[in-house]
Amino acid sequence: MATFTQKRLAVWAVRLKVLGVLAAVSSVAEASQVQKVCHSGHLPVALWQGLPPSERVFAKLCLPAGETPSTVQLLVHGITYTHQYWDFPDPEGPSDRYSYVSAALNAGFATLAIDRIGSGDSSRPPGASVTLEANAYVVHQVVQALRTGWKTGPSSTVSFSKVILVGHSYGSFTAWYEASDYQDVDGVILSGVSHFVTMGSVMRVITPLVPAGLDPAFFGRGYYDPSYLTTRPQTRYSTFYFPGEVTRKVLERDEKTKSTVTLTEFAPFPLILTRPLDIRVPVLLFNGTEDRLFCGPSIQGADCSSAEALVATEGPRLGPQVPCIEGHVLQGAGHVLNTLGNAQEWFAVAQNWAVQRVGPDAGPAPGCGLWEAELLKQD
């Protein structure tokens, strides 16, 4: 007889697969821009517990028009990207085609997109000190600030009763650690990630990396520390997108807005993938079926051929006390998701899941549903 965990994962995968189809049908890929109010600023943070908050993390808080939501989605980008990954301007003209932020606001949530420490407009400490553990601790401080009071002006603050942690790629690694170590979020969305990384995947990322100070895009910007790396010019598609469909103008803007990764963030991949996790809130897994970094045949990478396969291979590695794990895959997509032509499908699935599992309002989280207790009785 299948275990309760096996039945739970399988049923949730099927339920979300149906939900994803409905969401995709109802989404509008070229919707007019959502009305929003955004506040940008820096939060003082420490890299490690016990150290003074001498670093600063850049964050952009966006709120829908009207009453401030009770739930905020905290958005954490991957390597060589910034907060702009989550609200990528359409190079063809004003639209929300590539904006996860607008989709979340339209669903009734607030968003806070950060530049991970060392990236973008956040402070740039010595590269050796920018580790995954430091990233997670910084995000933990951001979560606490969102709950206790986030400054939106000289004398104004907003606070949120619920926080959903949303990661992509290395941002999902960060979410693994933060949600496991600090137990302070209400839901986790993990995109573009798995616990299976092949040597070919590692080489796909390593090969195009060079010290940022040697790239003309970073000349004169103070990148003297050789442990800060970026991708060589014109390698973004082969590294992050292939074989997904993306426009030439999107790739050009991606190249112009690229950021960095530190050697100490990247080097300990094997340890990152073997560290036990203990996530205790609902989780959504979302990958492209053709993600060449994290997916592939079962003996080489995670099985991203279907939602059921993704949940079955990845779900058990998130911890023994995850109340429910759901999955969805984006057909034909590579590693990067937000700037693809069919990104709206991913946005819609994520927002439907967030509404159903956590909720945008201050009331109790909808959670995983009473039907799960019936499954337990049948085990």
Side-chain angles (χ1 to χ4, degrees), residues 33-291:
Q33 289 185 301
V34 173
Q35 185 178 0
K36 55 191 172 185
V37 177
C38 298
H39 308 270
S40 297
H42 289 83
L43 176 72
V45 294
L47 289 183
W48 300 96
Q49 291 184 358
L51 292 181
S54 56
E55 306 296 337
R56 303 202 314 157
V57 64
F58 174 84
K60 185 175 182 180
L61 174 70
C62 289
L63 305 170
E67 186 176 351
T68 299
S70 298
T71 305
V72 61
Q73 296 192 32
L74 172 50
L75 314 178
V76 189
H77 63 82
I79 65 171
T80 73
Y81 282 86
T82 69
H83 72 282
Q84 294 183 67
Y85 174 75
W86 301 102
D87 195 18
F88 198 89
D90 185 352
E92 301 291 343
S95 85
D96 286 330
R97 182 194 301 244
Y98 307 120
S99 178
Y100 182 101
V101 168
S102 293
L105 267 59
N106 200 40
F109 298 95
T111 63
L112 185 85
I114 67 169
D115 287 346
R116 288 189 299 100
I117 200 69
S119 300
D121 290 327
S122 290
S123 59
R124 197 183 313 144
S129 64
V130 183
T131 64
L132 182 54
E133 291 82 1
N135 270 280
Y137 183 55
V138 167
V139 170
H140 168 60
Q141 294 167 81
V142 174
V143 171
Q144 298 308 302
L146 286 169
R147 292 190 182 278
T148 59
W150 188 273
K151 292 189 66 174
T152 57
S155 58
S156 59
T157 62
V158 294
S159 59
F160 302 91
S161 59
K162 291 184 282 190
V163 179
I164 301 173
L165 187 53
V166 186
H168 178 74
S169 193
Y170 200 91
S172 291
F173 287 168
T174 304
W176 285 355
Y177 277 35
E178 201 285 337
S180 292
D181 292 350
Y182 301 105
Q183 305 287 335
D184 60 354
V185 296
D186 301 274
V188 177
I189 299 177
L190 302 169
S191 67
V193 75
S194 81
H195 278 78
F196 301 88
V197 178
T198 68
M199 182 54 65
S201 299
V202 173
M203 294 307 298
R204 180 184 289 272
V205 176
I206 288 179
T207 301
L209 291 178
V210 295
L214 300 181
D215 189 310
F218 294 89
F219 285 175
R221 295 170 58 183
Y223 282 88
Y224 307 118
D225 185 337
S227 65
Y228 276 86
L229 311 174
T230 194
T231 52
R232 292 199 317 271
Q234 311 310 317
T235 61
R236 307 288 286 180
Y237 179 77
S238 60
T239 304
F240 298 121
Y241 287 89
F242 178 82
E245 294 186 5
V246 60
T247 70
R248 177 181 57 82
K249 289 185 177 181
V250 164
L251 282 176
E252 289 174 352
R253 185 171 183 88
D254 189 320
E255 180 71 30
K256 290 179 181 179
T257 58
K258 69 183 179 182
S259 186
T260 58
V261 58
T262 70
L263 187 59
T264 46
E265 285 178 300
F266 188 82
F269 257 144
L271 296 178
I272 293 172
L273 301 176
T274 57
R275 182 182 188 267
L277 299 176
D278 186 21
I279 300 175
R280 302 184 184 184
V281 293
V283 173
L284 170 64
L285 303 172
F286 199 109
N287 279 8
T289 57
E290 306 302 320
D291 188 332

